[in-house]
Amino acid sequence: MRSASKEPVPLHEEFIYCCGAATHVLKCGPWKDLSKDESKNLPRLLFMIIPGNPGLAGYYRTFIQALYCGLNQQYPVWVVSHAGHCKPPSGMEMIEDTDIKELEDVFGLNGQVEHKLNFLKKNVSKDIKLVLIAHSIGCYITLEMMKRASELQVLRSVLLFPTIERMAQSPQGKLMTPLLCKLRYVLYMPVYLLSFLPEGVKASLVRFALRGMKTCDESSITTSVNLFSVDCI
């Protein structure tokens, strides 16, 4: 097995629009484009991470690097953020997706499922096999993906801490879901005001909030700072 300490782990970062929503993609490995069917140099297997909630790709940066090294750096490992769960770079231009159907609510649960399917359709060749690794609500999204697109060549699906029950249809869910959906608008103003704080102050607030954790990866702190952006809520 190759040692991660001896060789830098290749990590490519992209911000794209998928289904009209800003999307953050982290790609571990030298392969940046897996959509070219005619390429003989493409790997035949992709490990793809479907995040939990919040679905910021940066939370999985260390995980995909460790997984890539654990696979002897033989296969690409990607993580795709949820639609809109990222802070786009300043100056990023909106690009219309003319070749996919328009979604009524790409930010809802159904929209997030279609968002991942459309990402695969546009960015991964059909003959590439998949190992889907999902976390929390990402497990529900993964199961729905396999139901709706049986043509996907999924070799394995790994569900980590799955959230797959119909929570919104439970008695408690029927009460809390509308309440939480409305309360999110209350957060916009304080988050907007906090977004003007210096980055160092934001990072200090995150470290204070996570002080109870025994170990805290630095990439998690950097990613959590993005939660001070209205774009991410």
Side-chain angles (χ1 to χ4, degrees), residues 154-173:
V154 180
L155 292 184
R156 294 284 189 278
S157 61
V158 182
L159 309 183
L160 305 175
F161 310 101
T163 302
I164 56 178
E165 296 181 357
R166 297 180 176 87
M167 296 180 295
Q169 298 177 17
S170 66
Q172 189 73 3

Side-chain angles (χ1 to χ4, degrees), residues 39-60:
S39 177
K40 296 181 179 179
N41 296 322
L42 289 182
R44 296 296 95 190
L45 180 63
L46 167 66
F47 287 75
M48 180 170 162
I49 314 299
I50 310 295
N53 187 24
L56 281 72
Y59 283 131
Y60 303 86

